[in-house]
Amino acid sequence: MKKQDAIIVEDIKKFFKVYPDKNNSIKEKVLFFNRNRYEKRWVLEGVSFSIEKGEAVGLIGKNGCGKSTLLKLINKIIYPTSGKITVNGRISSLLELGAGFHPDMSGRENIYINASIFGLTKRQIDEKLEEIISFSELGNDIENPVRTYSSGMYMRLAFSVAINVEADILLIDEILAVGDVSFQKKCFEKLLELKQSGTTIIMVSHSLDQIQKICDKSIWIESGQVKENNHSKDVIGHYLKHMERERQERLKESEGEEHQEIKNTFNGRKVLRSGNGDVYFTGVLLYNESKEERIFSTGEYMRVEYTFENKKNIDNVMFSLRIYKDDNTNCFASNTLIENECMERIIEKKKLIVEFPALELLPGNYMLDVDVLDFSGELMDSIHDTIRFSVQYDKPKSGICNMKSVWRVE
């Protein structure tokens, strides 16, 4: 192991025995011996990678691809069928909500139990106790049995203990999906703080936004093998395209050729597109007051026009628009619920118009995404990179937007 490596995974393979109808008693095992047969279900088939100290790495992939199994193997909850995992440092993990908690003990008592599992002495826990309670925001509920806690309260307590045991490696499996928005934000900030302090983080999440915000690198697991191991932005982009191709293939199989003409293409070119097609976009125009397209100046008027078809006579919809820089930086996002405070009625309407009286983007190349959803939140059409444009400015400012400011010296 190199000095800078926190974890090395070498050719890990793992299968589980799957019994079609397992016998529970000796009598059943004798009379129905055939039921003792099992099938080997391979979850991991030769996974190898290394993670350096201080890296934040995301594990992504479809359900059942082996992400959670891999975390349990690293944490030695289970052991591989073959291969080797080397870990350099103490591990703290958030793999299952409330794992290690005794339901009849109070939150305070469970802090001592849980932290001791992570290797802290009573004296160390005493020193950390108030910090853990404060971060959990449980207040007086810390004295109540944890069986009375909601799933959000469980998560608060489990997360608070795990991040305060000063471990070298932190393993997280979907735990951030629980809890209110403000606490999730607090957890993100704490994870970023731990990352900056040199803690190695390995995170499993179906929220690719979470992965991209926290993790520098991502490992894409597909059918029990590493499909890609690279920078998060690149891996997530390739993963999304792969998932969309699979979705299109399933759609084609289930629906034949019906409404395939609106899939995969827009304005005469191939795009990343999804949705059921009940309402779908047919074209886009982008221009300034002089009807000149694609090139704008900072502070200039910009008009976006999307034409659409209402195939199923849907009544109310929400439109949304996003502006990305060519490096995928999200510069702007809004929708008709935010701007107009209503779902838009689109019966006998054919066009969505968005106007920017003064486009305050600084020089660069940009692209537009567009979505339309029905009243229940069902996605009907979503297109990435519908049209591109450039912004120019004669002043040497840098950044994304031209924030208005007043400068003076007193």
Side-chain angles (χ1 to χ4, degrees):
M1 170 182 281
K2 297 176 185 176
K3 188 177 180 181
Q4 67 270 24
D5 285 329
I7 297 170
I8 292 181
V9 176
E10 300 176 83
D11 195 26
I12 287 296
K13 296 180 182 180
K14 178 66 179 178
F15 74 79
F16 292 100
K17 295 179 180 179
V18 179
Y19 293 86
D21 190 2
K22 192 172 181 180
N23 300 311
N24 295 317
S25 67
I26 295 175
K27 180 181 177 181
E28 286 177 335
K29 287 179 180 180
V30 172
L31 293 177
F32 307 108
F33 62 90
N34 283 336
R35 291 184 184 173
N36 292 324
R37 294 176 181 172
Y38 61 83
E39 171 192 343
K40 286 184 180 180
R41 186 160 299 171
W42 289 92
V43 180
L44 298 172
E45 299 187 62
V47 171
S48 297
F49 60 84
S50 62
I51 297 174
E52 292 184 1
K53 287 185 177 181
E55 275 191 322
V57 176
L59 297 180
I60 65 173
K62 294 183 289 188
N63 286 331
C65 71
K67 305 184 301 296
S68 297
T69 299
L70 194 49
L71 285 191
K72 290 175 181 176
L73 288 166
I74 292 171
N75 204 28
K76 296 185 179 178
I77 294 172
I78 57 177
Y79 291 88
T81 304
S82 65
K84 181 181 178 183
I85 297 177
T86 310
V87 177
N88 182 17
R90 187 170 67 183
I91 291 179
S92 174
S93 60
L94 285 162
L95 303 186
E96 292 185 15
L97 197 60
F101 287 173
H102 192 293
D104 294 323
M105 291 185 175
S106 69
R108 183 186 295 272
E109 291 167 327
N110 272 289
I111 290 173
Y112 280 91
I113 294 172
N114 212 233
S116 64
I117 291 172
F118 290 135
L120 268 66
T121 64
K122 183 179 181 301
R123 181 177 178 181
Q124 289 173 319
I125 301 171
D126 288 339
E127 293 172 354
K128 291 281 184 182
L129 184 62
E130 292 308 314
E131 188 176 349
I132 293 170
I133 295 172
S134 175
F135 190 92
S136 72
E137 299 177 2
L138 289 174
N140 293 331
D141 288 319
I142 198 69
E143 309 300 343
N144 297 334
V146 297
R147 58 180 162 75
T148 66
Y149 287 8
S150 66
S151 59
M153 294 166 73
Y154 257 86
M155 189 276 288
R156 288 169 184 262
L157 187 58
F159 191 90
S160 300
V161 175
I163 62 170
N164 280 291
V165 297
E166 297 181 353
D168 303 300
I169 301 165
L170 179 61
L171 308 180
I172 305 172
D173 189 0
E174 293 289 359
I175 196 77
L176 295 182
V178 186
D180 57 69
V181 174
S182 62
F183 194 74
Q184 284 186 29
K185 182 180 178 183
K186 184 177 176 180
C187 291
F188 275 125
E189 291 170 353
K190 186 64 178 180
L191 284 176
L192 291 173
E193 182 184 320
L194 288 172
K195 176 183 169 184
Q196 301 228 336
S197 71
T199 302
T200 305
I201 299 171
I202 308 174
M203 180 176 172
V204 168
S205 178
H206 286 290
S207 171
L208 300 181
D209 185 54
Q210 287 182 357
I211 294 285
Q212 199 155 357
K213 284 178 180 176
I214 295 172
C215 302
D216 307 308
K217 288 174 58 179
S218 288
I219 299 172
W220 172 8
I221 307 293
E222 179 77 15
S223 302
Q225 296 180 324
V226 174
K227 189 172 180 70
E228 189 171 356
N229 181 358
N230 209 332
H231 297 295
S232 287
K233 187 179 79 171
D234 296 333
V235 176
I236 288 171
H238 297 157
Y239 173 68
L240 287 173
K241 287 179 182 178
H242 173 79
M243 294 297 288
E244 179 59 18
R245 281 195 297 270
E246 284 195 345
R247 195 196 69 80
Q248 294 290 350
E249 288 170 5
R250 289 195 301 270
L251 182 67
K252 191 171 182 178
E253 290 173 3
S254 63
E255 300 183 6
E257 298 300 323
E258 184 182 0
H259 70 252
Q260 283 299 306
E261 71 278 2
I262 71 164
K263 300 296 177 183
N264 302 320
T265 60
F266 181 74
N267 258 18
R269 64 187 183 87
K270 290 186 177 181
V271 292
L272 187 62
R273 191 171 194 174
S274 58
N276 61 28
D278 290 350
V279 176
Y280 61 93
F281 297 101
T282 56
V284 59
L285 290 174
L286 183 67
Y287 51 85
N288 59 17
E289 287 179 323
S290 303
K291 300 292 184 179
E292 296 171 346
E293 296 186 42
R294 309 290 184 102
I295 299 178
F296 300 85
S297 296
T298 299
E300 188 178 15
Y301 169 86
M302 186 175 85
R303 179 185 176 100
V304 190
E305 292 184 4
Y306 285 98
T307 51
F308 60 86
E309 292 290 336
N310 188 354
K311 185 176 179 180
K312 296 286 184 71
N313 289 320
I314 304 294
D315 191 2
N316 298 80
V317 302
M318 181 189 79
F319 292 105
S320 64
L321 183 76
R322 295 178 297 281
I323 300 177
Y324 287 92
K325 209 166 183 181
D326 57 2
D327 63 356
N328 278 328
T329 300
N330 189 347
C331 304
F332 171 84
S334 192
N335 59 56
T336 49
L337 275 179
I338 294 172
E339 303 295 340
N340 296 341
E341 298 184 349
C342 68
M343 298 287 285
E344 298 298 323
R345 300 203 66 186
I346 60 168
I347 297 296
E348 298 182 355
K349 295 181 181 178
K350 298 288 185 182
K351 191 179 289 186
L352 166 68
I353 299 170
V354 182
E355 295 180 285
F356 296 88
L359 185 67
E360 296 296 357
L361 292 173
L362 285 172
N365 298 314
Y366 299 87
M367 66 184 84
L368 290 173
D369 287 10
V370 68
D371 299 338
V372 57
L373 299 90
D374 68 12
F375 191 79
S376 67
E378 177 83 15
L379 184 65
M380 294 183 286
D381 200 8
S382 175
I383 313 174
H384 174 60
D385 191 7
T386 60
I387 193 168
R388 299 190 177 199
F389 65 96
S390 298
V391 177
Q392 301 174 343
Y393 196 38
D394 57 4
K395 295 181 180 179
K397 293 185 178 181
S398 62
I400 296 173
C401 62
N402 185 35
M403 295 180 65
K404 301 299 183 184
S405 58
V406 177
W407 296 49
R408 64 178 177 270
V409 177
E410 294 184 344

